[in-house]
Amino acid sequence: MKKLLSGMLLAGIIVGCGGQATPTSVPAPATSQASPTTQALNPTATTEITPSVVANQTTPTPLPSKPTAPIFTADDERWAGRSIYFIMTDRFANGDPSNDNADGFASDRNDPRRWHGGDFRGIIQRLDYIKGMGFGAIWITPVSKQNSINAYHGYWQYDPYQIDPHFGTLEELRELVSEAHKRDMLVMLDVVPNHMGDFLPGSKAAPPFDDPTWYHNKGNIQNYGNQQEVEDGDLLGLDDLDQDNPATRAELLKWIAWLKSETGLDGMRVDTAKHLPKDFLREFDQAANTFSLAEVFSSDAGYVAPYSEYNDAILDYPLHSAFKESLVGGRTLLVIQRVLENADATYRNVHVNGTFLDNHDNERFLCVATGGPDDQKATQLQQALAVLYSLRGIPIVYYGTEQELSGCKDPFNREDAFELDSTATPLYQWISQLNQLRQAHPALQRGSLESRSKADDGWAFQRTAGNDTVVVCINNTWKPLEVAVTGLTEIADGEVLTDALGGGELSVKGGAMNCALQPKQVMIYTR
């Protein structure tokens, strides 16, 4: 890991390369619970566990114990207070039509599996649109040169040392980073050290990755419960690099250092991290010398959490699975609470894990949302976004969410957003409000989280960092609901709190207050 700061915490991800099974469900609620008004969601140890996806069975992976107060590295400090807007470059904005048919692979917007024309120039032209929602960072899909008419996503790399001309040039990528920095926005780049495209044995990737001995050559993964096979086998036919080969490892470390130096990127999302040896992940992170967010596609926190010791953070698939169970599936909010209290003590620094509702590998929220009795899917999405922003971790919003894109499975969840740039849509304005709220409150960026009601159809919790405290109330039903909030601390008797999302004021008496919520409403009370 990179150099640590001295300060301690105040107060106290398939893969883009193809399809993969959705994480398994979070288990049913336990039969006994600690007192909800006093139970901290940052315990020093835990015995409950969530089930494993990788094992293709329900055998859980034991959760390790860790201290509750994380140390913040310099990279953590840069990222913890920001939220991320995730862009699939080929589908976001076409700023330069002259590169649409690069390399003889023509764009065809009528075919969801082919290039469509999005590029760096298009992103540059819409940075103000993104900044207008309050995002402090963007994450873009891989930029390496591809060699297929269907490789629009960037995960089937052919030559890591070249930028794919469909996206633009290296100079334009540098310009994108520079223009983002002018707006106080960081840039995260998706990188793929696990595999190349599907070339062997009939053809080869570009030199120096054209040496067959640099690959495992063991065929497709058959048993995802065998970790060695997960690391050594081909994922859906993609040629799996052998990071235990000294020559392969050295070249990959050289490449990521080169990419960081040439582009000035501020962070990287490490694709298919669970398919890589952990010791290699650590060296890769050190060679890049930048913030690393690892994709470990599993809802099993016991399996996912150790990867945060080899990268700076992980994409929080265990929490994503809980969101789907509770906010979409209608199960109790205890599903979310249990993921937090069971797993949070096991991550290196839970406040920089990437949290999300959907992405390019999972169905969009509006695809799976039920909408309730009146088909109010946008209302359900507003609630889910408010929950996302009120919990720990760095919120990641998938491009087009603000324009109500609703695609289902890959590739239909990778819609074009070329003409979708209105800043007047309700969700654009809602996300702007949530970003402003999070930026204004350290408690939402890195605060402790303690339950202040029983988690069921409704839930209340308190987040505190230093002198900043917020109280969150959630209604997960399609009917009005009252949530009795008790056990509040750090708030004086008689103090009046205001719902920053427009729900009015409440006075705290004896550490208690009563939230009266409308269907699917979230209230975030602040001083």
Side-chain angles (χ1 to χ4, degrees), residues 215-290:
Y215 299 83
H216 283 114
N217 300 304
K218 294 184 178 180
N220 285 339
I221 302 167
Q222 300 297 325
N223 179 10
Y224 281 84
N226 183 322
Q227 183 61 29
Q228 196 63 52
E229 188 174 338
V230 167
E231 293 180 10
D232 293 354
D234 289 354
L235 177 62
L236 301 172
L238 299 169
D239 299 338
D240 194 72
L241 290 160
D242 181 2
Q243 292 78 20
D244 290 327
N245 180 322
T248 311
R249 179 174 294 217
E251 195 63 45
L252 288 168
L253 299 180
K254 173 185 173 184
W255 164 65
I256 195 59
W258 170 86
L259 188 64
K260 164 67 185 316
S261 174
E262 288 294 315
T263 63
L265 63 91
D266 306 289
M268 60 181 182
R269 180 261 194 186
V270 183
D271 182 65
T272 52
K274 76 178 186 183
H275 298 273
L276 293 159
K278 289 188 176 73
D279 66 316
F280 170 77
L281 283 168
R282 174 171 285 149
E283 286 191 44
F284 194 72
D285 173 71
Q286 292 170 341
N289 193 29
T290 192

Side-chain angles (χ1 to χ4, degrees), residues 3-14:
K3 185 177 181 180
L4 301 180
L5 296 181
S6 59
M8 298 292 287
L9 172 68
L10 298 175
I13 111 224
I14 198 181

Side-chain angles (χ1 to χ4, degrees), residues 309-355:
E309 296 295 331
Y310 299 90
N311 303 272
D312 293 299
I314 53 88
L315 283 173
D316 201 334
Y317 265 100
L319 186 58
H320 166 73
S321 181
F323 286 157
K324 291 181 71 174
E325 292 284 330
S326 182
L327 304 181
V328 178
R331 287 184 58 188
T332 170
L333 290 165
L334 180 62
V335 173
I336 296 175
Q337 183 197 35
R338 289 178 66 245
V339 168
L340 298 175
E341 66 187 17
N342 293 343
D344 278 11
T346 69
Y347 294 108
R348 186 192 68 84
N349 182 350
V350 72
H351 299 289
V352 291
N353 285 347
T355 58

Side-chain angles (χ1 to χ4, degrees), residues 23-167:
T24 57
S25 300
V26 175
T31 56
S32 62
Q33 295 291 322
S35 171
T37 59
T38 60
Q39 183 181 38
L41 301 189
N42 292 11
T44 56
T46 180
T47 56
E48 274 195 301
I49 44 186
T50 51
S52 172
V53 171
V54 294
N56 291 331
Q57 57 184 351
T58 56
T59 302
T61 306
L63 289 166
S65 299
K66 282 181 64 65
T68 61
I71 297 173
F72 277 75
T73 69
D75 278 334
D76 293 342
E77 292 289 354
R78 293 186 73 202
W79 284 89
R82 299 172 185 267
S83 58
I84 301 172
Y85 188 75
F86 170 36
I87 301 167
M88 176 157 279
T89 301
D90 181 66
R91 303 300 167 88
F92 184 61
N94 189 349
D96 182 8
S98 71
N99 59 31
D100 289 1
N101 301 327
D103 283 345
F105 300 127
S107 294
D108 181 358
R109 290 184 62 181
N110 294 317
D111 187 336
R113 292 177 174 83
R114 289 176 60 172
W115 297 89
H116 284 192
D119 48 36
F120 303 143
R121 182 60 53 196
I123 299 175
I124 291 170
Q125 292 171 355
R126 291 177 68 177
L127 283 175
D128 289 335
Y129 167 88
I130 301 168
K131 186 66 176 179
M133 280 182 282
F135 288 100
I138 59 172
W139 154 22
I140 65 173
T141 43
V143 301
S144 297
K145 183 177 176 61
Q146 309 292 298
N147 194 33
S148 168
I149 201 166
N150 302 120
Y152 66 90
H153 42 66
Y155 294 94
W156 300 347
Q157 57 192 353
Y158 169 75
D159 187 350
Y161 285 104
Q162 297 292 325
I163 305 299
D164 195 284
H166 287 90
F167 303 136

Side-chain angles (χ1 to χ4, degrees), residues 489-507:
T489 60
E490 312 297 328
I491 302 173
D493 194 49
E495 188 170 354
V496 175
L497 302 181
T498 302
D499 175 24
L501 300 180
E505 297 180 341
L506 280 180
S507 178

